[in-house]
Amino acid sequence: EIVLTQSPATLSLSPGERVTLSCRASQRPYINYLSWYQQKPGQAPRLLIYSTSSASNRATGVPDRFSASGSGTDFTLTISRLEPEDFAVYYCQQYSVFGQGTKVEIK
Amino acid sequence: EVQLVESGGGLVQPGGSLRLSCAASGFTFSNYWMSWVRQAPGKGLEWVANIKDDGSVQYHADSVKGRFTISRDNAKNSLYLQMDTLRAGDTAVYYCAREIPSTTSSFDYWGQGTLVSVSS
């Protein structure tokens, strides 16, 4: 089974900074796109990016500062400019597999 | 408005059983695959099981296979997770989640979660 490894475990950043979160697959995924979620303490995960067989797309209501890219075994979620509400844990996912998460905390 | 409301969590002894329910509203429940996803305290997300829109196909994670059973009642707009032979390692918040059709199991709506604690 594929394993998704996210790095780093924690990022300490300031509002306004650009952030790139990494998700590496242990083998080339069958589908070349991942989903990404944001989770804040005490809340359910929120879908940011969903993936079909041919593309990744922002979920409804997700600001365009969030974008996803990747190919092969390396995938990224980019937040172009961190807003105060973006400090949270981020997970990548494909089918039944989740990454272990990256926490974005305030520096 | 899409809503998923879980219930049935609680404290149970190791080896015990529990049945979780998820009441769905605001969408045509019978058109969607549904999943259970859990999160142990302070840990990440773990997919547990999913079920086809008509209930004819189910998949379970290896960690729960043979102990947990996912089911649904489309007439009642409800999803269930029967959990037997519970272990301490099953302690987690359990979420039900809706899968977006034709995606790589992207989950667009989640319930608020129900806490299952397995302890003597």
Side-chain angles (χ1 to χ4, degrees):
Chain A
E1 186 183 66
I2 198 168
V3 175
L4 298 176
T5 301
Q6 294 186 243
S7 61
T10 304
L11 272 173
S12 298
L13 298 164
S14 301
E17 289 194 82
R18 178 185 180 90
V19 56
T20 300
L21 308 180
S22 171
C23 180
R24 175 165 290 178
S26 59
Q27 61 194 63
R28 190 183 181 99
Y30 179 70
I31 301 295
N32 207 32
Y33 301 94
L34 301 184
S35 302
W36 290 87
Y37 300 84
Q38 176 194 69
Q39 187 179 33
K40 297 179 180 178
Q43 296 184 14
R46 172 197 180 196
L47 178 66
L48 298 175
I49 305 288
Y50 67 92
S51 59
T52 68
S53 60
S54 59
S56 60
N57 306 275
R58 272 189 301 276
T60 302
V62 175
D64 61 7
R65 64 180 180 271
F66 291 92
S67 63
S69 63
S71 63
T73 59
D74 293 319
F75 300 86
T76 60
L77 175 72
T78 298
I79 309 173
S80 60
R81 183 180 171 86
L82 272 172
E83 297 289 339
E85 62 268 28
D86 298 337
F87 292 93
V89 179
Y90 292 85
Y91 295 94
C92 59
Q93 174 248 344
Q94 190 181 84
Y95 292 113
S96 62
V97 180
F98 285 92
Q100 82 278 20
T102 291
K103 182 180 182 180
V104 177
E105 64 178 21
I106 300 176
K107 188 173 182 179
Chain B
E1 178 193 5
V2 172
Q3 281 198 313
L4 298 170
V5 179
E6 301 95 337
S7 60
L11 176 63
V12 61
Q13 292 187 338
S17 297
L18 216 51
R19 189 194 196 207
L20 305 184
S21 300
C22 172
S25 61
F27 66 102
T28 304
F29 181 69
S30 58
N31 286 352
Y32 290 84
W33 283 68
M34 298 292 296
S35 275
W36 288 99
V37 177
R38 69 183 180 182
Q39 187 169 37
K43 303 297 184 182
L45 301 171
E46 180 188 14
W47 174 83
V48 173
N50 68 350
I51 186 167
K52 194 174 183 290
D53 47 14
D54 63 3
S56 62
V57 177
Q58 309 91 31
Y59 297 102
H60 298 79
D62 288 345
S63 58
V64 306
K65 202 170 290 183
R67 301 187 299 120
F68 291 11
T69 304
I70 190 173
S71 63
R72 66 191 296 162
D73 185 338
N74 286 345
K76 295 183 177 180
N77 291 334
S78 292
L79 177 72
Y80 306 103
L81 186 68
Q82 177 67 40
M83 304 186 295
D84 299 320
T85 319
L86 281 159
R87 307 166 179 165
D90 297 318
T91 294
V93 173
Y94 285 74
Y95 296 100
C96 67
R98 187 181 84 166
E99 298 186 23
I100 303 175
S102 302
T103 66
T104 56
S105 296
S106 300
F107 305 113
D108 60 347
Y109 285 94
W110 299 64
Q112 84 289 350
T114 187
L115 176 62
V116 173
S117 297
V118 184
S119 174
S120 54

